[in-house]
Protein backbone atom coordinates (compact mmCIF):
# COMPACT_ATOMS: atom_id res chain seq x y z
CA UNK A 1 0.00 0.00 0.00
CA UNK A 2 1.36 3.40 -1.03
CA UNK A 3 0.36 6.18 1.36
CA UNK A 4 0.21 9.46 -0.52
CA UNK A 5 0.31 12.90 1.08
CA UNK A 6 -1.46 15.35 -1.24
CA UNK A 7 1.03 17.99 -2.30
CA UNK A 8 4.03 15.87 -1.31
CA UNK A 9 3.93 12.67 -3.38
CA UNK A 10 7.35 11.70 -4.72
CA UNK A 11 8.47 10.43 -8.11
CA UNK A 12 9.59 7.23 -6.41
CA UNK A 13 6.07 6.62 -5.09
CA UNK A 14 4.53 7.32 -8.47
CA UNK A 15 7.02 5.00 -10.17
CA UNK A 16 6.05 2.22 -7.76
CA UNK A 17 2.36 2.75 -8.50
CA UNK A 18 3.14 2.54 -12.21
CA UNK A 19 5.55 -0.38 -12.27
CA UNK A 20 4.09 -2.52 -9.48
CA UNK A 21 0.40 -1.53 -9.71
CA UNK A 22 0.47 -0.91 -5.98
CA UNK A 23 -2.76 0.10 -4.19
CA UNK A 24 -2.99 3.66 -2.97
CA UNK A 25 -4.35 5.35 0.14
CA UNK A 26 -4.46 9.10 0.75
CA UNK A 27 -3.15 10.41 4.05
CA UNK A 28 -6.21 10.80 6.28
CA UNK A 29 -4.95 14.20 7.39
CA UNK A 30 -6.27 15.45 4.03
CA UNK A 31 -9.88 14.68 4.92
CA UNK A 32 -10.84 17.88 6.83
CA UNK A 33 -9.79 20.13 3.94
CA UNK A 34 -11.65 17.93 1.45
CA UNK A 35 -14.82 18.07 3.55
CA UNK A 36 -14.60 21.84 4.06
CA UNK A 37 -14.48 22.31 0.29
CA UNK A 38 -17.40 19.89 -0.18
CA UNK A 39 -19.44 21.87 2.36
CA UNK A 40 -18.67 25.09 0.47
CA UNK A 41 -19.93 23.56 -2.77
CA UNK A 42 -23.09 22.27 -1.07
CA UNK A 43 -23.80 25.78 0.22
CA UNK A 44 -23.21 27.30 -3.21
CA UNK A 45 -25.53 24.77 -4.82
CA UNK A 46 -28.29 25.75 -2.40
CA UNK A 47 -27.78 29.48 -3.02
CA UNK A 48 -28.91 31.86 -5.72
CA UNK A 49 -25.54 33.16 -6.96
CA UNK A 50 -24.31 31.54 -10.20
CA UNK A 51 -21.23 29.36 -9.67
CA UNK A 52 -19.67 27.77 -12.73
CA UNK A 53 -20.24 24.03 -12.92
CA UNK A 54 -22.28 23.99 -9.73
CA UNK A 55 -25.54 25.57 -10.91
CA UNK A 56 -24.59 26.54 -14.46
CA UNK A 57 -23.90 24.74 -17.72
CA UNK A 58 -20.37 24.04 -18.94
CA UNK A 59 -17.97 25.66 -21.38
CA UNK A 60 -19.87 27.79 -23.91
CA UNK A 61 -23.07 26.96 -21.97
CA UNK A 62 -21.80 28.52 -18.72
CA UNK A 63 -24.41 31.27 -18.91
CA UNK A 64 -27.25 28.73 -18.59
CA UNK A 65 -28.63 28.51 -15.04
CA UNK A 66 -29.46 25.06 -13.64
CA UNK A 67 -32.22 24.58 -11.06
CA UNK A 68 -31.18 23.02 -7.70
CA UNK A 69 -33.34 19.97 -8.39
CA UNK A 70 -31.32 19.29 -11.57
CA UNK A 71 -27.78 19.58 -10.24
CA UNK A 72 -27.30 15.81 -9.83
CA UNK A 73 -28.63 15.19 -13.33
CA UNK A 74 -26.30 17.92 -14.62
CA UNK A 75 -23.27 16.10 -13.26
CA UNK A 76 -24.35 12.69 -14.58
CA UNK A 77 -25.08 14.17 -18.00
CA UNK A 78 -21.68 15.83 -17.97
CA UNK A 79 -19.92 12.51 -17.51
CA UNK A 80 -21.98 10.57 -20.04
CA UNK A 81 -21.80 13.28 -22.70
CA UNK A 82 -18.04 13.59 -22.31
CA UNK A 83 -17.37 9.86 -22.75
CA UNK A 84 -16.28 10.47 -26.32
CA UNK A 85 -12.89 8.76 -26.33
CA UNK A 86 -11.88 6.65 -29.31
CA UNK A 87 -9.14 4.18 -30.09
CA UNK A 88 -7.65 1.28 -28.19
CA UNK A 89 -7.95 1.15 -24.38
CA UNK A 90 -4.93 2.50 -22.54
CA UNK A 91 -2.74 0.02 -20.61
CA UNK A 92 -3.93 -0.88 -17.13
CA UNK A 93 -0.77 0.49 -15.48
CA UNK A 94 -1.38 3.90 -17.06
CA UNK A 95 -5.05 3.89 -16.04
CA UNK A 96 -4.14 3.07 -12.45
CA UNK A 97 -1.51 5.82 -12.34
CA UNK A 98 -4.11 8.22 -13.73
CA UNK A 99 -6.50 7.24 -10.93
CA UNK A 100 -3.81 7.77 -8.28
CA UNK A 101 -3.02 11.20 -9.72
CA UNK A 102 -6.71 12.12 -9.56
CA UNK A 103 -6.71 11.11 -5.88
CA UNK A 104 -3.76 13.43 -5.26
CA UNK A 105 -5.51 16.32 -6.97
CA UNK A 106 -8.80 15.82 -5.11
CA UNK A 107 -6.87 15.39 -1.88
CA UNK A 108 -5.62 18.96 -2.01
CA UNK A 109 -9.01 20.02 -0.66
CA UNK A 110 -9.85 22.51 -3.41
CA UNK A 111 -12.21 20.45 -5.56
CA UNK A 112 -15.36 20.18 -3.46
CA UNK A 113 -15.95 16.43 -3.72
CA UNK A 114 -17.24 14.26 -0.88
CA UNK A 115 -14.74 12.02 0.90
CA UNK A 116 -16.74 8.92 0.00
CA UNK A 117 -15.82 9.40 -3.68
CA UNK A 118 -12.15 9.45 -2.75
CA UNK A 119 -12.67 6.23 -0.80
CA UNK A 120 -14.40 4.59 -3.75
CA UNK A 121 -11.47 5.46 -6.03
CA UNK A 122 -9.08 4.01 -3.43
CA UNK A 123 -11.12 0.80 -3.21
CA UNK A 124 -11.17 0.46 -6.99
CA UNK A 125 -7.38 0.62 -7.02
CA UNK A 126 -7.09 -1.80 -4.12
CA UNK A 127 -9.53 -4.36 -5.54
CA UNK A 128 -8.44 -4.14 -9.15
CA UNK A 129 -11.38 -2.37 -10.80
CA UNK A 130 -9.75 -0.53 -13.70
CA UNK A 131 -11.87 1.67 -15.97
CA UNK A 132 -11.57 1.03 -19.71
CA UNK A 133 -10.28 4.33 -21.09
CA UNK A 134 -9.89 4.93 -24.84
CA UNK A 135 -6.52 6.41 -25.74
CA UNK A 136 -7.61 9.26 -28.01
CA UNK A 137 -9.80 12.30 -27.65
CA UNK A 138 -8.07 14.77 -25.33
CA UNK A 139 -6.50 18.04 -26.49
CA UNK A 140 -5.02 18.65 -23.04
CA UNK A 141 -6.98 21.72 -22.00
CA UNK A 142 -10.17 22.21 -20.02
CA UNK A 143 -8.76 19.00 -18.65
CA UNK A 144 -8.28 15.61 -20.24
CA UNK A 145 -12.04 15.62 -20.56
CA UNK A 146 -12.86 12.47 -22.53
CA UNK A 147 -10.43 10.05 -20.85
CA UNK A 148 -11.27 11.32 -17.37
CA UNK A 149 -14.97 11.00 -18.17
CA UNK A 150 -14.45 7.33 -19.07
CA UNK A 151 -12.67 6.87 -15.74
CA UNK A 152 -15.46 8.61 -13.83
CA UNK A 153 -18.23 6.76 -15.64
CA UNK A 154 -17.38 3.59 -13.70
CA UNK A 155 -17.72 5.47 -10.42
CA UNK A 156 -21.35 6.23 -11.26
CA UNK A 157 -22.01 2.68 -12.53
CA UNK A 158 -21.70 3.41 -16.24
CA UNK A 159 -18.94 2.77 -18.77
CA UNK A 160 -16.76 -0.32 -18.69
CA UNK A 161 -14.06 -1.65 -16.38
CA UNK A 162 -11.63 -4.52 -16.27
CA UNK A 163 -11.93 -6.80 -13.25
CA UNK A 164 -10.30 -10.20 -12.73
CA UNK A 165 -9.24 -10.36 -16.35
CA UNK A 166 -12.68 -9.55 -17.78
CA UNK A 167 -14.06 -6.36 -19.31
CA UNK A 168 -17.47 -5.77 -17.75
CA UNK A 169 -20.09 -3.02 -17.55
CA UNK A 170 -19.00 -0.55 -14.90
CA UNK A 171 -21.76 -1.36 -12.41
CA UNK A 172 -21.12 -5.10 -12.76
CA UNK A 173 -17.36 -4.70 -12.24
CA UNK A 174 -17.98 -2.69 -9.07
CA UNK A 175 -20.48 -5.27 -7.78
CA UNK A 176 -18.09 -8.17 -8.35
CA UNK A 177 -15.47 -6.26 -6.34
CA UNK A 178 -17.95 -5.68 -3.51
CA UNK A 179 -18.37 -1.99 -4.34
CA UNK A 180 -21.32 0.20 -5.29
CA UNK A 181 -21.55 3.22 -7.60
CA UNK A 182 -22.06 6.65 -6.09
CA UNK A 183 -24.29 9.30 -7.74
CA UNK A 184 -22.46 12.58 -8.19
CA UNK A 185 -23.41 15.72 -6.33
CA UNK A 186 -22.92 19.37 -7.29
CA UNK A 187 -19.63 20.02 -9.16
CA UNK A 188 -18.31 16.50 -8.51
CA UNK A 189 -18.41 15.42 -12.12
CA UNK A 190 -16.59 18.57 -13.13
CA UNK A 191 -13.98 17.97 -10.42
CA UNK A 192 -13.27 14.53 -11.84
CA UNK A 193 -12.96 15.45 -15.53
CA UNK A 194 -11.24 18.84 -15.26
CA UNK A 195 -7.59 17.97 -14.75
CA UNK A 196 -4.40 16.83 -16.43
CA UNK A 197 -4.18 13.34 -14.98
CA UNK A 198 -4.31 11.45 -18.31
CA UNK A 199 -1.54 13.57 -19.85
CA UNK A 200 0.51 13.52 -16.66
CA UNK A 201 0.20 9.75 -16.25
CA UNK A 202 1.48 9.12 -19.77
CA UNK A 203 4.25 11.69 -19.41
CA UNK A 204 5.36 10.07 -16.14
CA UNK A 205 5.28 6.62 -17.74
CA UNK A 206 7.44 7.93 -20.58
CA UNK A 207 9.79 9.48 -18.06
CA UNK A 208 10.15 6.32 -15.96
CA UNK A 209 10.58 3.98 -18.94
CA UNK A 210 12.78 6.48 -20.76
CA UNK A 211 15.08 6.87 -17.78
CA UNK A 212 15.57 3.12 -17.67
CA UNK A 213 16.58 3.30 -21.33
CA UNK A 214 19.02 6.13 -20.57
CA UNK A 215 20.65 4.00 -17.87
CA UNK A 216 20.93 1.12 -20.34
CA UNK A 217 22.45 3.46 -22.93
CA UNK A 218 25.37 4.16 -20.59
CA UNK A 219 26.05 0.44 -20.39
CA UNK A 220 25.66 -0.27 -24.11
CA UNK A 221 27.81 2.74 -24.99
CA UNK A 222 30.59 1.45 -22.73
CA UNK A 223 30.36 -1.94 -24.44
CA UNK A 224 30.55 -0.28 -27.86
CA UNK A 225 33.57 1.74 -26.81
CA UNK A 226 35.45 -1.43 -25.95
CA UNK A 227 34.18 -3.25 -29.04
CA UNK A 228 35.77 -0.70 -31.38
CA UNK A 229 38.78 -0.31 -29.06
CA UNK A 230 37.83 3.28 -28.33
CA UNK A 231 39.74 5.61 -26.04
CA UNK A 232 38.70 6.35 -22.48
CA UNK A 233 40.67 9.60 -22.45
CA UNK A 234 37.50 11.62 -23.24
CA UNK A 235 36.05 10.28 -19.97
CA UNK A 236 38.72 12.04 -17.91
CA UNK A 237 36.82 13.66 -15.01
CA UNK A 238 38.47 17.06 -15.31
CA UNK A 239 37.01 17.51 -18.81
CA UNK A 240 33.49 17.18 -17.50
CA UNK A 241 34.04 19.15 -14.31
CA UNK A 242 35.28 22.07 -16.40
CA UNK A 243 31.97 22.15 -18.22
CA UNK A 244 29.89 21.56 -15.11
CA UNK A 245 26.71 19.88 -16.38
CA UNK A 246 25.55 17.30 -13.83
CA UNK A 247 24.31 14.70 -16.32
CA UNK A 248 27.53 14.86 -18.34
CA UNK A 249 29.63 14.45 -15.19
CA UNK A 250 27.53 11.45 -14.07
CA UNK A 251 27.53 9.82 -17.50
CA UNK A 252 31.31 10.04 -17.76
CA UNK A 253 31.79 8.72 -14.23
CA UNK A 254 29.46 5.79 -14.91
CA UNK A 255 31.27 4.90 -18.13
CA UNK A 256 34.67 5.11 -16.41
CA UNK A 257 33.48 2.69 -13.76
CA UNK A 258 32.02 0.34 -16.36
CA UNK A 259 35.25 0.24 -18.39
CA UNK A 260 37.67 0.11 -15.48
CA UNK A 261 39.90 -2.96 -15.68
CA UNK A 262 39.27 -3.75 -19.34
CA UNK A 263 42.16 -5.68 -20.94
CA UNK A 264 40.93 -4.50 -24.31
CA UNK A 265 41.36 -0.87 -23.27
CA UNK A 266 44.82 -1.45 -21.82
CA UNK A 267 45.98 -3.27 -24.97
CA UNK A 268 45.93 -0.14 -27.15
CA UNK A 269 46.98 2.66 -24.83
CA UNK A 270 50.34 2.63 -26.58
CA UNK A 271 50.92 2.52 -30.33
CA UNK A 272 47.35 3.27 -31.41
CA UNK A 273 47.63 5.37 -34.58
CA UNK A 274 44.15 6.84 -34.16
CA UNK A 275 44.23 10.30 -32.62
CA UNK A 276 40.53 10.74 -31.92
CA UNK A 277 37.42 8.59 -32.01
CA UNK A 278 34.26 9.67 -33.87
CA UNK A 279 31.83 11.81 -31.93
CA UNK A 280 29.47 8.90 -31.23
CA UNK A 281 32.23 7.46 -29.03
CA UNK A 282 34.03 10.59 -27.87
CA UNK A 283 30.96 12.69 -27.04
CA UNK A 284 28.81 10.09 -25.31
CA UNK A 285 28.76 11.86 -21.92
CA UNK A 286 27.96 15.19 -23.55
CA UNK A 287 24.96 13.74 -25.43
CA UNK A 288 23.49 11.14 -23.08
CA UNK A 289 24.35 13.32 -20.09
CA UNK A 290 22.53 16.29 -21.64
CA UNK A 291 19.53 14.07 -22.32
CA UNK A 292 19.56 13.01 -18.66
CA UNK A 293 19.59 16.66 -17.59
CA UNK A 294 16.63 17.44 -19.87
CA UNK A 295 14.69 14.47 -18.50
CA UNK A 296 15.36 15.65 -14.96
CA UNK A 297 14.02 19.10 -15.83
CA UNK A 298 10.88 17.41 -17.13
CA UNK A 299 10.74 15.28 -13.99
CA UNK A 300 10.66 18.41 -11.82
CA UNK A 301 7.69 19.75 -13.78
CA UNK A 302 5.83 16.45 -13.65
CA UNK A 303 6.42 15.99 -9.92
CA UNK A 304 4.86 19.41 -9.36
CA UNK A 305 1.94 18.65 -11.69
CA UNK A 306 1.30 15.28 -10.04
CA UNK A 307 0.69 17.08 -6.76
CA UNK A 308 -1.37 19.93 -8.20
CA UNK A 309 -5.04 20.79 -7.92
CA UNK A 310 -5.97 21.07 -11.58
CA UNK A 311 -9.75 21.21 -11.82
CA UNK A 312 -12.05 24.21 -12.17
CA UNK A 313 -13.51 26.05 -10.40
CA UNK A 314 -11.37 25.73 -7.29
CA UNK A 315 -12.61 26.11 -3.73
CA UNK A 316 -10.38 28.52 -1.82
CA UNK A 317 -11.61 27.62 1.64
CA UNK A 318 -9.51 30.06 3.63
CA UNK A 319 -10.62 32.97 1.45
CA UNK A 320 -14.21 31.74 1.34
CA UNK A 321 -14.24 31.81 -2.46
CA UNK A 322 -15.09 29.51 -5.34
CA UNK A 323 -13.07 30.81 -8.28
CA UNK A 324 -12.83 29.89 -11.94
CA UNK A 325 -9.27 29.64 -13.24
CA UNK A 326 -7.24 27.66 -15.72
CA UNK A 327 -5.24 25.03 -13.83
CA UNK A 328 -6.71 22.37 -16.12
CA UNK A 329 -4.55 23.64 -19.00
CA UNK A 330 -1.81 21.04 -19.50
CA UNK A 331 0.80 23.35 -21.05
CA UNK A 332 3.46 22.43 -18.42
CA UNK A 333 2.87 18.73 -19.13
CA UNK A 334 3.03 19.34 -22.87
CA UNK A 335 6.39 21.08 -22.55
CA UNK A 336 7.69 18.29 -20.31
CA UNK A 337 6.56 15.62 -22.78
CA UNK A 338 8.27 17.43 -25.65
CA UNK A 339 11.47 17.65 -23.61
CA UNK A 340 11.41 13.93 -22.86
CA UNK A 341 10.76 13.20 -26.54
CA UNK A 342 13.81 15.19 -27.59
CA UNK A 343 15.97 13.36 -25.04
CA UNK A 344 14.76 9.94 -26.19
CA UNK A 345 15.38 10.80 -29.83
CA UNK A 346 18.94 11.95 -29.16
CA UNK A 347 19.89 8.95 -27.03
CA UNK A 348 18.71 6.76 -29.90
CA UNK A 349 20.43 8.87 -32.56
CA UNK A 350 23.90 8.57 -31.05
CA UNK A 351 23.37 4.88 -30.21
CA UNK A 352 22.46 4.19 -33.83
CA UNK A 353 25.71 5.80 -34.97
CA UNK A 354 27.66 3.52 -32.64
CA UNK A 355 25.94 0.51 -34.22
CA UNK A 356 26.80 1.82 -37.69
CA UNK A 357 30.41 2.25 -36.56
CA UNK A 358 30.68 -1.35 -35.34
CA UNK A 359 29.31 -2.96 -38.51
CA UNK A 360 31.48 -0.85 -40.85
CA UNK A 361 34.88 -2.53 -41.36
CA UNK A 362 36.46 0.77 -42.40
CA UNK A 363 35.67 2.32 -39.00
CA UNK A 364 35.45 -0.56 -36.51
CA UNK A 365 39.22 -1.07 -36.05
CA UNK A 366 39.59 -4.57 -37.50
CA UNK A 367 36.21 -6.04 -36.64
CA UNK A 368 34.83 -8.19 -39.48
CA UNK A 369 32.20 -6.65 -41.78
CA UNK A 370 28.77 -6.62 -40.15
CA UNK A 371 30.21 -8.56 -37.21
CA UNK A 372 29.95 -11.96 -38.88
CA UNK A 373 32.86 -14.43 -38.78
CA UNK A 374 32.26 -15.40 -42.42
CA UNK A 375 31.26 -12.25 -44.36
CA UNK A 376 29.95 -12.65 -47.86
CA UNK A 377 28.28 -15.96 -47.30
CA UNK A 378 26.72 -14.39 -44.21
CA UNK A 379 25.30 -10.87 -43.76
CA UNK A 380 25.53 -10.79 -39.96
CA UNK A 381 24.01 -7.68 -38.42
CA UNK A 382 23.75 -5.79 -41.73
CA UNK A 383 19.96 -5.42 -41.69
CA UNK A 384 19.71 -5.16 -37.92
CA UNK A 385 21.63 -1.90 -38.33
CA UNK A 386 19.19 -0.80 -41.04
CA UNK A 387 16.30 -1.52 -38.67
CA UNK A 388 17.86 0.76 -36.06
CA UNK A 389 18.20 3.49 -38.68
CA UNK A 390 14.47 3.18 -39.36
CA UNK A 391 13.63 3.34 -35.65
CA UNK A 392 15.95 6.30 -35.14
CA UNK A 393 14.30 8.21 -37.99
CA UNK A 394 10.84 7.39 -36.69
CA UNK A 395 11.77 8.77 -33.27
CA UNK A 396 13.14 11.94 -34.85
CA UNK A 397 9.76 12.56 -36.46
CA UNK A 398 7.90 11.71 -33.27
CA UNK A 399 10.10 14.16 -31.35
CA UNK A 400 8.68 17.17 -33.18
CA UNK A 401 6.92 19.42 -30.65
CA UNK A 402 3.23 18.87 -30.04
CA UNK A 403 2.70 21.67 -27.55
CA UNK A 404 2.93 24.29 -30.32
CA UNK A 405 0.05 22.73 -32.24
CA UNK A 406 -2.96 24.42 -30.66
CA UNK A 407 -6.40 24.60 -32.22
CA UNK A 408 -9.61 26.24 -30.95
CA UNK A 409 -12.33 23.92 -29.59
CA UNK A 410 -15.76 24.08 -27.99
CA UNK A 411 -17.16 26.96 -30.04
CA UNK A 412 -13.99 29.02 -29.45
CA UNK A 413 -14.48 29.07 -25.68
CA UNK A 414 -11.46 26.82 -25.31
CA UNK A 415 -9.40 28.63 -27.91
CA UNK A 416 -5.89 27.56 -26.93
CA UNK A 417 -5.06 24.00 -25.98
CA UNK A 418 -1.86 22.14 -25.08
CA UNK A 419 -2.06 18.88 -27.06
CA UNK A 420 -0.27 17.37 -24.06
CA UNK A 421 -2.27 14.15 -24.20
CA UNK A 422 -0.92 12.76 -27.44
CA UNK A 423 2.38 14.54 -26.78
CA UNK A 424 2.72 12.36 -23.71
CA UNK A 425 1.16 9.27 -25.26
CA UNK A 426 3.70 9.17 -28.11
CA UNK A 427 6.50 8.70 -25.54
CA UNK A 428 5.58 5.04 -25.12
CA UNK A 429 6.17 4.37 -28.81
CA UNK A 430 9.44 6.30 -28.68
CA UNK A 431 10.72 4.36 -25.68
CA UNK A 432 9.82 1.09 -27.42
CA UNK A 433 11.83 2.17 -30.45
CA UNK A 434 14.75 3.24 -28.27
CA UNK A 435 14.74 -0.05 -26.35
CA UNK A 436 15.09 -1.93 -29.64
CA UNK A 437 17.89 0.35 -30.86
CA UNK A 438 19.79 -0.23 -27.63
CA UNK A 439 19.03 -3.95 -27.82
CA UNK A 440 20.71 -4.13 -31.22
CA UNK A 441 23.64 -2.13 -29.86
CA UNK A 442 23.91 -4.65 -27.03
CA UNK A 443 24.04 -7.52 -29.53
CA UNK A 444 26.60 -5.82 -31.78
CA UNK A 445 28.84 -4.64 -28.96
CA UNK A 446 28.88 -8.05 -27.27
CA UNK A 447 29.74 -9.69 -30.60
CA UNK A 448 32.48 -7.13 -31.22
CA UNK A 449 34.01 -7.64 -27.78
CA UNK A 450 34.00 -11.41 -28.28
CA UNK A 451 35.96 -10.93 -31.50
CA UNK A 452 38.71 -9.29 -29.39
CA UNK A 453 39.46 -12.57 -27.57
CA UNK A 454 41.70 -13.58 -25.90
CA UNK A 455 41.51 -10.02 -24.59
CA UNK A 456 38.54 -9.46 -22.30
CA UNK A 457 36.54 -6.45 -21.28
CA UNK A 458 36.00 -5.22 -17.71
CA UNK A 459 34.33 -7.35 -15.07
CA UNK A 460 31.07 -5.32 -15.06
CA UNK A 461 30.77 -5.53 -18.84
CA UNK A 462 31.65 -9.22 -18.85
CA UNK A 463 28.71 -9.71 -16.47
CA UNK A 464 26.40 -7.88 -18.89
CA UNK A 465 27.54 -10.05 -21.79
CA UNK A 466 27.11 -13.22 -19.71
CA UNK A 467 23.55 -12.14 -18.91
CA UNK A 468 22.90 -11.56 -22.60
CA UNK A 469 24.38 -14.92 -23.60
CA UNK A 470 22.10 -16.73 -21.17
CA UNK A 471 19.31 -15.70 -23.54
CA UNK A 472 20.88 -15.05 -26.95
CA UNK A 473 23.79 -16.99 -28.42
CA UNK A 474 26.60 -15.31 -30.39
CA UNK A 475 25.88 -14.92 -34.10
CA UNK A 476 27.86 -17.39 -36.19
CA UNK A 477 26.09 -18.44 -39.36
CA UNK A 478 23.12 -16.31 -40.34
CA UNK A 479 19.89 -17.23 -38.60
CA UNK A 480 16.36 -15.92 -38.18
CA UNK A 481 17.22 -12.75 -36.23
CA UNK A 482 13.87 -11.18 -35.37
CA UNK A 483 13.48 -13.11 -32.07
CA UNK A 484 17.01 -12.07 -31.04
CA UNK A 485 16.20 -8.41 -31.61
CA UNK A 486 12.98 -8.64 -29.61
CA UNK A 487 14.67 -10.53 -26.77
CA UNK A 488 17.50 -7.99 -26.60
CA UNK A 489 14.96 -5.15 -26.56
CA UNK A 490 13.21 -6.81 -23.63
CA UNK A 491 16.50 -7.05 -21.72
CA UNK A 492 16.87 -3.30 -22.17
CA UNK A 493 13.24 -2.47 -21.32
CA UNK A 494 13.23 -4.58 -18.17
CA UNK A 495 16.40 -2.94 -16.86
CA UNK A 496 18.05 -6.35 -16.50
CA UNK A 497 20.83 -5.65 -18.99
CA UNK A 498 21.94 -2.54 -17.12
CA UNK A 499 21.49 -4.12 -13.70
CA UNK A 500 23.72 -7.03 -14.70
CA UNK A 501 26.72 -4.70 -14.58
CA UNK A 502 26.33 -4.61 -10.79
CA UNK A 503 27.26 -0.94 -10.50
CA UNK A 504 25.22 2.04 -9.28
CA UNK A 505 23.57 3.91 -12.16
CA UNK A 506 22.39 7.53 -12.17
CA UNK A 507 18.96 8.05 -10.66
CA UNK A 508 16.26 10.34 -11.93
CA UNK A 509 16.56 12.43 -8.77
CA UNK A 510 20.31 12.88 -8.23
Amino acid sequence: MIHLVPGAATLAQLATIYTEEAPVRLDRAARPAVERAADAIASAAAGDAPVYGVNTGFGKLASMRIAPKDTATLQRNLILSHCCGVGAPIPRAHARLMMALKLLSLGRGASGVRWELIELLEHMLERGVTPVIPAQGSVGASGDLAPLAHMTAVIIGAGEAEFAGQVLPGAEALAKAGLAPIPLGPKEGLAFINGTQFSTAFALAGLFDGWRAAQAALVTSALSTDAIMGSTAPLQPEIHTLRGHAGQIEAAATMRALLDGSEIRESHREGDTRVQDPYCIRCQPQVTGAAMDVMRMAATTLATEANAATDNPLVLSEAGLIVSGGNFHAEPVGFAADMIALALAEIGAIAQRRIALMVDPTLSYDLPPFLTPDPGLNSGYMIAEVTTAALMSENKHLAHPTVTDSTPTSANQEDHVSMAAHGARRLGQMVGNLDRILGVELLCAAQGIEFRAPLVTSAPLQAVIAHLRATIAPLGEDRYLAPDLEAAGRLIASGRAAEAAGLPLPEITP
Side-chain angles (χ1 to χ4, degrees):
M1 181 73 69
I2 303 294
H3 291 270
L4 296 177
V5 177
T10 66
L11 287 174
Q13 289 177 312
L14 298 172
T16 300
I17 294 167
Y18 170 60
T19 58
E20 299 179 16
E21 298 191 9
V24 172
R25 187 68 53 87
L26 283 190
D27 190 315
R28 268 31 194 172
R31 184 168 183 169
V34 169
E35 292 182 333
R36 280 196 300 273
D39 290 343
I41 291 296
S43 296
D48 295 325
V51 179
Y52 175 70
V54 176
N55 52 18
T56 73
F58 307 106
K60 196 73 171 179
L61 304 176
S63 60
M64 304 286 189
R65 288 298 300 274
I66 306 299
K69 67 181 179 62
D70 292 327
T71 54
T73 302
L74 174 71
Q75 298 301 313
R76 181 176 178 84
N77 287 349
L78 173 70
I79 300 306
L80 298 179
S81 69
H82 282 54
C83 285
C84 291
V86 298
I90 68 174
R92 185 175 62 223
H94 293 68
R96 290 178 59 85
L97 180 56
M98 179 176 161
M99 294 162 72
L101 292 172
K102 178 52 74 175
L103 280 172
L104 280 170
S105 182
L106 299 177
R108 292 298 299 271
S111 297
V113 303
R114 290 164 292 161
W115 186 257
E116 63 188 286
L117 284 164
I118 287 175
E119 289 181 320
L120 177 55
L121 204 53
E122 291 175 337
H123 291 322
M124 288 168 64
L125 282 166
E126 185 175 2
R127 301 184 193 183
V129 179
T130 307
V132 174
I133 301 168
Q136 295 168 281
S138 174
V139 295
S142 196
D144 291 316
L145 295 172
L148 284 167
H150 282 277
M151 181 194 81
T152 310
V154 178
I155 290 172
I156 63 173
E160 293 183 320
E162 179 193 350
F163 178 73
Q166 290 183 291
V167 173
L168 304 167
E172 185 178 345
L174 289 174
K176 284 183 176 291
L179 302 171
I182 298 176
L184 298 174
K187 189 191 173 290
E188 289 178 331
L190 196 60
F192 270 89
I193 69 169
N194 266 179
T196 66
Q197 286 75 38
F198 176 91
S199 298
T200 305
F202 272 86
L204 283 168
L207 175 71
F208 298 144
D209 293 338
W211 189 264
R212 194 159 49 246
Q215 291 177 321
L218 295 175
V219 175
T220 58
S221 63
L223 285 162
S224 296
T225 299
D226 239 12
I228 63 102
M229 300 185 86
S231 174
T232 55
L235 302 178
Q236 189 75 15
E238 291 85 353
I239 294 173
H240 307 286
T241 301
L242 281 168
R243 198 172 198 188
H245 292 297
Q248 179 179 328
I249 292 168
E250 285 181 89
T254 300
M255 291 186 66
R256 284 197 307 273
L258 287 164
L259 286 159
D260 186 42
S262 168
E263 289 182 7
I264 296 172
R265 174 61 188 119
E266 296 305 318
S267 72
H268 62 97
R269 284 192 185 272
E270 304 294 333
D272 194 331
T273 58
R274 297 170 298 173
V275 177
Q276 292 181 328
D277 292 316
Y279 287 179
C280 67
I281 298 296
R282 195 178 357 141
C283 299
Q284 292 170 97
Q286 287 82 356
V287 175
T288 304
M292 289 161 51
D293 282 340
V294 167
M295 291 173 77
R296 282 174 173 157
M297 293 176 203
T300 299
T301 296
L302 294 176
T304 299
E305 188 72 9
N307 284 286
T310 57
D311 76 269
N312 179 62
L314 292 172
V315 181
L316 311 181
S317 294
E318 291 187 8
L321 300 172
I322 301 172
V323 182
S324 287
N327 279 5
F328 49 71
H329 200 297
E331 194 84 353
V333 183
F335 276 122
D338 283 346
M339 292 165 68
I340 296 167
L342 290 170
L344 297 175
E346 281 298 275
I347 293 170
I350 194 169
Q352 201 284 326
R353 297 317 305 154
R354 293 192 295 266
I355 296 166
L357 189 71
M358 287 185 283
V359 301
D360 186 343
T362 63
L363 299 173
S364 64
Y365 203 60
D366 298 329
L367 291 175
F370 304 106
L371 299 167
T372 176
D374 189 10
L377 181 63
N378 295 284
S379 296
Y381 286 112
M382 178 189 293
I383 304 305
E385 184 269 332
V386 174
T387 296
T388 65
L391 296 173
M392 174 191 69
S393 181
E394 189 173 303
N395 270 5
K396 286 179 180 180
H397 284 274
L398 288 169
H400 284 207
T402 62
V403 78
T404 55
D405 189 26
S406 178
T407 190
T409 63
S410 193
N412 282 299
Q413 176 74 7
E414 297 153 12
D415 59 353
H416 182 278
V417 298
S418 72
M419 298 300 180
H422 66 266
R425 198 163 45 81
R426 60 74 141 95
L427 298 178
Q429 182 180 353
M430 293 187 70
V431 172
N433 290 343
L434 177 55
D435 287 340
R436 289 173 173 85
I437 293 170
L438 296 174
V440 173
E441 183 180 18
L442 177 62
L443 291 171
C444 290
Q447 185 98 345
I449 285 172
E450 288 164 343
F451 276 123
R452 302 296 183 188
L455 297 174
V456 295
T457 188
S458 66
L461 296 182
Q462 286 182 61
V464 174
I465 294 173
H467 190 78
L468 171 70
R469 293 302 179 222
T471 305
I472 304 170
L475 182 61
E477 294 183 353
D478 282 350
R479 62 174 181 254
Y480 186 59
L481 274 178
D484 290 4
L485 270 58
E486 287 299 320
R490 287 193 296 271
L491 287 176
I492 297 294
S494 67
R496 295 195 303 272
E499 291 166 3
L503 293 176
L505 297 167
E507 296 295 337
I508 208 164
T509 50

